[in-house]
Amino acid sequence: MKTPAELARAACLASKVKGSLSVRQMLLMGILAGAYIAFAGWLMTVVSHDMPKFSGSGFTRFISGVVFSTGLIFVVISGSELFTGNCMMPLGYLAGCTPLRKILRNWAWVYAANLIG
């Protein structure tokens, strides 16, 4: 278990690393993350489309969550860049580790790449 101070240091380090990625890295990893999430959303729709008729809405929602989470698992395992994962980068700015311009640059490229994916 990490202490709050250790978590803040880890967030600062992650912010520094993410802020120093090249545009090519952000685009490639962002497109991959967007594709993984899009695939998981599509798969969730396919799997749960007719389920409520046969198994009820509660179980359908549970299975939908399980199937969609595979996209998040793909993102974590591959180390790709998902915009929502970069929303903790301002901690690096507040701690003085990462300039604001690098955070905004990362957000813009990763957000655009996620949309492309």
Side-chain angles (χ1 to χ4, degrees):
M1 207 56 142
K2 290 186 178 184
T3 66
E6 291 171 337
L7 286 173
R9 278 192 289 278
C12 185
L13 178 63
S15 177
K16 191 183 291 189
V17 169
K18 288 175 180 283
S20 65
L21 293 174
S22 70
V23 172
R24 182 172 186 249
Q25 289 172 314
M26 287 186 281
L27 282 175
L28 288 174
M29 293 191 306
I31 289 170
L32 272 177
Y36 292 147
I37 295 299
F39 175 74
W42 171 79
L43 188 62
M44 179 191 73
T45 302
V46 169
V47 167
S48 65
H49 174 69
D50 288 336
M51 276 185 78
K53 288 188 271 186
F54 304 107
S55 58
S57 65
F59 187 69
T60 300
R61 289 179 185 168
F62 172 73
I63 293 299
S64 296
V66 169
V67 171
F68 184 76
S69 66
T70 59
L72 298 172
I73 291 168
F74 290 160
V75 168
V76 170
I77 289 173
S78 69
S80 50
E81 289 288 306
L82 193 60
F83 177 78
T84 54
N86 293 351
C87 287
M88 282 201 50
M89 287 180 71
L91 282 176
Y93 171 72
L94 295 173
C97 298
T98 310
L100 184 60
R101 65 177 173 76
K102 285 191 174 188
I103 293 170
L104 296 176
R105 175 181 164 266
N106 178 280
W107 281 358
W109 284 109
V110 170
Y111 191 81
N114 287 171
L115 286 176
I116 292 167

